[in-house]
Every structure is written in structure tokens, then in C-alpha cells.
Amino acid sequence: MAAQLRPDKGNRLMLKIALILHAVIATSLMGMAVIAVLAVDMHAGWREIALAAVAGFVLAIPVSWFVAGRIRKLQGGDS
């Protein structure tokens, strides 16, 4: 019989923490990126603004995972 693959409880908890953090971190990074685009080029079109927002959203994924890991470690987690 093949062993069943079960998600680790710790990883599920970390994923939940990361998803909650992602909402806050992504909003912050997206806002900073859009403000930076507008500050550099006051006539920026919607494409530049959208690209900055998407970049902030994507950059927030590893940042959220890292922060979730640090929180879990501080709480006595094993990762």
C-alpha cells in the first residue's frame, strides 16, 4: 500500500498565517509601488500603475511566508 500524503499540520497553520498577513503586506507594498510610480512620472498611464500594483502583490507572497515563519518560530513552532 502506498503511504497517504497528508499535509503537515504545521504547514497548514503557517499557510493560514501567511494568507492573513498577505492581505496586509500586499496592500502596503502595492500602495508603495503605485505611489513610487506616480512620484517618478506624474503622467503615468494605467499600465505602469497596474504593473506596479501587480509587482507589489507578487512580492508580498514570499515576504508573507517569511514573516509567517518568523511568527511561528517566535510562538514555539518547529520551523
Side-chain angles (χ1 to χ4, degrees):
M1 284 198 173
Q4 288 183 343
L5 296 175
R6 296 183 189 180
D8 184 7
K9 259 189 165 179
N11 283 340
R12 284 193 298 169
L13 176 62
M14 194 160 131
L15 179 62
K16 288 178 184 179
I17 294 170
L19 288 174
I20 292 169
L21 288 170
H22 187 264
V24 176
I25 293 172
T27 304
S28 300
L29 291 178
M30 290 166 67
M32 289 189 299
V34 169
I35 289 172
V37 166
L38 293 174
V40 170
D41 183 13
M42 289 301 291
H43 301 291
W46 69 269
R47 287 187 180 128
E48 291 85 3
I49 294 170
L51 184 61
V54 168
F57 183 85
V58 171
L59 183 61
I61 295 170
V63 173
S64 300
W65 189 258
F66 174 76
V67 173
R70 297 292 294 175
I71 289 173
R72 190 153 177 259
K73 191 177 223 179
L74 288 173
Q75 294 297 320
D78 57 345
S79 66

